[in-house]
C-alpha cells in the first residue's frame, strides 16, 4: 500500500473512531453522571429498602418466567417464518414488529381494554371471579407484548442460517419433521434463540409504559423508580435507579455469558 493510501486509511479509521466514541459517550455519560452525583451513603441505605428489593426481584422473576413461557409458541412461529412461504407472510412479519413501533403506552391501553372487566377476556374471567389487572400475570402480558419481537426475529434469523439441505437429508433418511426440528434445526439455531431470549428478558425487565397502565401495583422496578421521582423528586429516585441499573447489568452480562458458552 502506498504512503498516501496508508494516510487515507488512517484518516478514515480516525473518523470512524471519533464517531463511535461520540455514540459511546452519549450512552455512558448520563449513567456516569447519575452515579457520580448520587452520594454512596444514599445508595447504601437504599440497598436495605424492602420496597426497592421486592420491586427489583418482581421485575426479574416475572421477566424471566415470561421469556420462558412465551418461548414455546414463539420459537415454532419463528421456524415457520424462516422455512415456509405463504400468503400474507410479509403482513405477519409486520405485525410481529408492531410492538416495537407503537408507543408502549398505547400497548398498555390496548392490553387494558382486553383484560379489563368490560374487555373480551376480562369479562369472561370476571364470571369466574378472576381479575387480572394489578397482578403479576398482567405485568407478564405487558412485558411479553413489547419484547416478543426480539425473540421471534432472532430465532427466525437463526433458523434461516440452518442449511435446508441438512433437514432434507434427514427427511430422506426417514426422520420425521419433529425429529428434524428437535435434532437438527433447533440445536443449530440455538445460539440465536438464546440471544433472542436474553434480549426479550432484558427488554421485558426494563418495560415501563405498558406496565404502569395495566398494573401500577404491585410495582416493578421501573414503576417504583417513577413513583419515587414523581412523589419525592430526583434525589430520592436516583439511588433506587442506580441499584436497578447495577442489578440489570449483572443479570444481563451473566445471561450473555451463558448464551455465548452455549
Amino acid at each position: 500500500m502506498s504512503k498516501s493510501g496508508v494516510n487515507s486509511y488512517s484518516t478514515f479509521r480516525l473518523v470512524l473512531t471519533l464517531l463511535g466514541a461520540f455514540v459511546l459517550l452519549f450512552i455512558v455519560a448520563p449513567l456516569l453522571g447519575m452515579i457520580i452525583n448520587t452520594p454512596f451513603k444514599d445508595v447504601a441505605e437504599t440497598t436495605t429498602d424492602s420496597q426497592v428489593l421486592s420491586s427489583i426481584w418482581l421485575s426479574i422473576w416475572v421477566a424471566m418466567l415470561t421469556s420462558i413461557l412465551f418461548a414455546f409458541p414463539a420459537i415454532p412461529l419463528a421456524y415457520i417464518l424462516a422455512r415456509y412461504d405463504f400468503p400474507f407472510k410479509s403482513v405477519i412479519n409486520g405485525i410481529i414488529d408492531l410492538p416495537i413501533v407503537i408507543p408502549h403506552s398505547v400497548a398498555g391501553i390496548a392490553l387494558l381494554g382486553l383484560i379489563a372487566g368490560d374487555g373480551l377476556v376480562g369479562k369472561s374471567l370476571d364470571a369466574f371471579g378472576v381479575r387480572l389487572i394489578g397482578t403479576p400475570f398482567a405485568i407478564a402480558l405487558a412485558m411479553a407484548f413489547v419484547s416478543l419481537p426480539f425473540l421471534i426475529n432472532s430465532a427466525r434469523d437463526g433458523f434461516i442460517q440452518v442449511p435446508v439441505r441438512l433437514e432434507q437429508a434427514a427427511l430422506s433418511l426417514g426422520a420425521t419433521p419433529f425429529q428434524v426440528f428437535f435434532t437438527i434445526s433447533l440445536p443449530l439455531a440455538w445460539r440465536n434463540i438464546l440471544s433472542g431470549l436474553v434480549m426479550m428478558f432484558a427488554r421485558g425487565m426494563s418495560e415501563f409504559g405498558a406496565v404502569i397502565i395495566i398494573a401500577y401495583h404491585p410495582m416493578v422496578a421501573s414503576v417504583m423508580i417513577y413513583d419515587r421521582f414523581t412523589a419525592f423528586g430526583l434525589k430520592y429516585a436516583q439511588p433506587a435507579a442506580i441499584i436497578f441499573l447495577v442489578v440489570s447489568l449483572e443479570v444481563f452480562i451473566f445471561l450473555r455469558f451463558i448464551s455465548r458458552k452455549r
Side-chain angles (χ1 to χ4, degrees):
M1 184 181 294
S2 64
K3 186 175 181 180
S4 60
V6 172
N7 291 336
S8 176
Y9 177 76
S10 300
T11 303
F12 174 72
R13 186 172 181 177
L14 177 62
V15 171
L16 294 184
T17 301
L18 290 175
L19 292 174
F22 170 76
V23 173
L24 291 175
L25 182 63
F26 177 75
I27 296 172
V28 173
L31 302 177
L32 284 178
M34 179 178 65
I35 294 172
I36 293 172
N37 293 327
T38 305
F40 178 76
K41 176 177 67 68
D42 293 345
V43 178
E45 290 176 355
T46 307
T47 57
T48 61
D49 191 320
S50 60
Q51 185 187 41
V52 173
L53 299 179
S54 62
S55 65
I56 292 176
W57 172 240
L58 180 65
S59 298
I60 293 174
W61 78 257
V62 173
M64 185 73 73
L65 188 61
T66 299
S67 301
I68 294 172
L69 291 179
F70 276 86
F72 287 98
I75 293 173
L77 174 59
Y79 183 78
I80 291 173
L81 294 172
R83 280 291 179 262
Y84 303 108
D85 290 322
F86 49 86
F88 305 109
K89 180 179 178 179
S90 59
V91 175
I92 293 176
N93 281 319
I95 292 173
I96 290 170
D97 291 332
L98 197 59
I100 300 176
V101 178
I102 64 174
H104 289 182
S105 56
V106 175
I109 291 172
L111 288 170
L112 184 63
L114 181 66
I115 68 172
D118 56 349
L120 180 64
V121 175
K123 188 180 297 183
S124 301
L125 293 176
D126 271 355
F128 298 95
V130 178
R131 180 177 173 83
L132 298 181
I133 296 176
T135 64
F137 185 82
I139 296 172
L141 289 179
M143 288 181 174
F145 187 87
V146 301
S147 62
L148 263 173
F150 294 97
L151 171 59
I152 296 173
N153 290 334
S154 183
R156 181 189 60 208
D157 293 342
F159 286 126
I160 289 175
Q161 295 172 20
V162 177
V164 178
R165 57 184 175 80
L166 294 180
E167 297 178 341
Q168 292 174 341
L171 290 171
S172 66
L173 292 173
T176 66
F178 286 99
Q179 290 174 325
V180 171
F181 178 76
F182 285 107
T183 61
I184 296 177
S185 308
L186 198 60
L188 291 178
W190 192 239
R191 181 181 292 274
N192 286 72
I193 294 172
L194 275 178
S195 180
L197 279 169
V198 171
M199 291 305 301
M200 180 180 176
F201 164 77
R203 184 65 195 86
M205 188 172 64
S206 63
E207 175 55 22
F208 169 75
V211 172
I212 197 172
I213 290 176
I214 201 171
Y216 199 98
H217 293 281
M219 287 186 182
V220 294
S222 58
V223 176
M224 178 270 299
I225 293 169
Y226 171 78
D227 183 73
R228 291 192 171 203
F229 173 72
T230 55
F232 305 105
L234 186 62
K235 184 178 179 181
Y236 193 63
Q238 279 182 330
I242 290 174
I243 293 171
F244 185 49
L245 172 65
V246 172
V247 172
S248 299
L249 283 175
E250 289 177 348
V251 173
F252 184 73
I253 290 172
F254 172 74
L255 291 177
R256 274 295 190 189
F257 175 77
I258 294 297
S259 66
R260 288 185 179 274
K261 286 292 185 182
R262 288 289 183 183

